[in-house]
């Protein structure tokens, strides 16, 4: 019996690495509305780290910036358009 050394080898699939949503030059700040609005769902909820594809440190800074923007009424707490359509 001729046994190969590696019977279960992973297939070498090439995948395109996604670009990070936050570049090194971008400042995560409550005033940077174009950046912050990318991390909020249509309902006004903060998206999870897995969906955002950001690091833990970046997610914390994003969350703080969104909350500050909400308090200063730059962002709505809720975005319920369906309620007003009735």
């Amino acid at each position: 019996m001729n046994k190969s050394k590696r019977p279960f080898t992973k297939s070498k699939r090439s995948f395109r690495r996604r670009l990070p949503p936050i570049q090194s030059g971008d400042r995560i700040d409550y005033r940077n509305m174009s950046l912050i609005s990318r991390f909020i769902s249509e309902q006004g909820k903060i998206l999870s780290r897995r969906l955002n594809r950001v690091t833990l440190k970046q997610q914390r800074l994003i969350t703080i910036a969104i909350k500050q923007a909400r308090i200063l009424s730059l962002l709505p707490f809720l975005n319920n358009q369906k309620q007003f359509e009735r």
Side-chain angles (χ1 to χ4, degrees), residues 58-73:
Q58 287 173 335
Q59 181 70 18
R60 284 194 194 120
L61 290 170
I62 289 165
T63 304
I64 291 167
I66 289 170
K67 289 178 180 178
Q68 284 177 334
R70 283 176 176 168
I71 289 167
L72 294 168
S73 68

Side-chain angles (χ1 to χ4, degrees), residues 2-9:
N2 187 6
K3 284 188 176 180
S4 62
K5 291 182 182 178
R6 301 177 94 193
F8 302 107
T9 56

Side-chain angles (χ1 to χ4, degrees), residues 11-73:
S11 63
K12 292 188 177 182
R13 279 187 275 152
S14 64
F15 61 94
R16 201 178 103 227
R17 194 165 179 198
R18 280 194 167 173
L19 292 170
I22 300 174
Q23 275 70 34
S24 59
D26 289 339
R27 279 190 49 129
I28 302 171
D29 199 3
Y30 68 93
R31 290 170 285 182
N32 195 350
M33 296 304 295
S34 60
L35 180 72
I36 289 176
S37 58
R38 282 189 249 164
F39 304 109
I40 299 175
S41 68
E42 290 179 13
Q43 291 82 30
K45 294 181 180 179
I46 301 171
L47 294 173
S48 69
R49 199 177 137 225
R50 271 196 336 207
L51 288 171
N52 289 341
R53 296 193 182 265
V54 292
T55 63
L56 182 61
K57 193 174 183 180
Q58 287 173 335
Q59 181 70 18
R60 284 194 194 120
L61 290 170
I62 289 165
T63 304
I64 291 167
I66 289 170
K67 289 178 180 178
Q68 284 177 334
R70 283 176 176 168
I71 289 167
L72 294 168
S73 68

